Amino acid sequence: MTERAAYLDYVADTTFTEGYREYQRRYAERPRESDRVLVEMIDRETRDRPGAEVLDLGCSTGNLLRHVRGARPDLRLTGGDLIAGHLEECRSDPGLTGIDFAEIDALAIGRTAAWDLIVMNAVLYLFTPDQFARALSSVARALRPGGALLVFDLFHPFGQELTITEASETHPEGLTLHFRSYAGVEAAASRAGFGRPRITPFRIPIDLPRPDDDDQIISYTVPAADGERLLFRGTLHQPWCHTVFPVA
Ligand SMILES: C[S@@+](CC[C@H](N)C(=O)[O-])C[C@H]1O[C@@H](n2cnc3c(N)ncnc32)[C@H](O)[C@@H]1O
């Protein structure tokens, strides 16, 4: 299977997308902790730009946009995704009225200086290194001067580029996850035309109990010696980070 085909399989997998929609419904009223941090970051990055245009790329159910609009009704919001079904659901959701939704491929956005801020929330970790590089270049072109890309993704401080293929009930063929090093992310950002990314590890402030059903791949936390909580998905530690990629 080619890399491109594997990638398309993921976005077209209806079992996965249905399950994801159900998962996101839990956070319609109250955002996930990681989304709460993203909303604060969006607010901070656009504070001196009232009416700024913000694109949530890979918006899925539109949940993040719902919470951004609650916090900053002045922002002009667009949700972009590859899956037409997601976009149709978002357009017919009364809770997302006033937000634009468009079919946009992160690898080839095809627009120049169109947004002040682009958000990619848990999207890039599924991209191969080549797709990661293409997405960063495409986003850099689509941002206005002084703009930024905000990302929530799997980055870690070690000199190690990890690719893990996880075969599970929802992905019997295997879903490939990419854990990128800070150094690799910085190098890719520079090649794409961004300044130095500002990476902040996500310290989750709540305990997530381990589910009773160990077969399910659901996130949970484990206390670490330093009092922090380590976030796991099955047996995998997830080094989620919030990152600002400023336009150079
Ligand atoms: C794991 S989901 C994350 C969804 C949402 N951002 C969140 O945090 O809940 C990844 C999303 O990215 C979308 N996606 C994947 N590849 C994409 C691409 N090349 N362009 C736009 N969206 C893409 C998928 O369709 C899916 O909705």
Side-chain angles (χ1 to χ4, degrees):
M1 193 184 285
T2 66
E3 283 186 347
R4 181 67 185 158
Y7 172 73
L8 286 176
D9 280 352
Y10 152 68
V11 287
D13 183 335
T14 48
T15 314
F16 175 71
T17 53
E18 267 312 309
Y20 202 75
R21 250 177 231 157
E22 204 174 300
Y23 155 80
Q24 274 288 17
R25 274 185 210 115
R26 288 189 267 154
Y27 300 103
E29 296 301 320
R30 211 167 137 254
R32 283 185 301 198
E33 281 302 317
S34 59
D35 284 2
R36 192 181 56 70
V37 174
L38 266 178
V39 172
E40 282 173 10
M41 289 169 74
I42 293 167
D43 180 38
R44 206 165 39 242
E45 293 295 320
T46 56
R47 212 163 276 163
D48 58 351
R49 295 184 180 214
E53 293 201 57
V54 178
L55 169 67
D56 182 15
L57 191 47
C59 66
S60 185
T61 56
N63 246 5
L64 177 69
L65 291 165
R66 192 190 313 269
H67 297 300
V68 173
R69 195 185 49 183
R72 285 289 302 275
D74 61 297
L75 297 177
R76 286 180 288 164
L77 304 177
T78 302
D81 208 289
L82 268 189
I83 301 192
H86 282 342
L87 299 166
E88 278 158 31
E89 291 236 347
C90 288
R91 287 186 191 111
S92 61
D93 183 339
L96 298 173
T97 309
I99 299 175
D100 283 336
F101 289 94
E103 203 166 318
I104 301 176
D105 183 352
L107 303 186
I109 300 174
R111 295 193 53 189
T112 306
W115 286 281
D116 299 287
L117 213 59
I118 296 181
V119 182
M120 295 185 81
N121 185 11
V123 178
L124 290 164
Y125 72 108
L126 295 161
F127 288 11
T128 64
D130 173 57
Q131 290 159 351
F132 182 68
R134 282 159 58 198
L136 289 186
S137 298
S138 172
V139 168
R141 276 192 297 276
L143 283 167
R144 299 192 174 120
L149 166 67
L150 302 190
V151 158
F152 182 60
D153 220 277
L154 297 172
F155 301 152
H156 64 79
F158 305 102
Q160 222 181 12
E161 303 302 330
L162 280 186
T163 300
I164 293 174
T165 300
E166 170 190 276
S168 62
E169 204 179 317
T170 42
H171 290 294
E173 301 297 322
L175 181 67
T176 301
L177 316 172
H178 298 269
F179 295 62
R180 298 175 219 277
S181 70
Y182 291 175
V185 170
E186 283 171 16
S190 166
R191 282 192 295 272
F194 286 102
R196 188 162 192 201
R198 302 194 297 274
I199 301 176
T200 309
F202 176 48
R203 307 272 186 234
I204 188 162
I206 52 169
D207 290 319
L208 294 179
R210 186 168 170 158
D212 293 336
D213 183 351
D214 278 345
D215 291 343
Q216 296 300 311
I217 299 187
I218 297 174
S219 296
Y220 62 95
T221 54
V222 170
D226 63 0
E228 296 290 351
R229 294 169 187 82
L230 296 180
L231 196 53
F232 275 77
R233 165 192 169 99
T235 59
L236 289 181
H237 170 233
Q238 300 184 99
W240 287 107
C241 292
H242 291 91
T243 304
V244 179
F245 292 76
V247 170

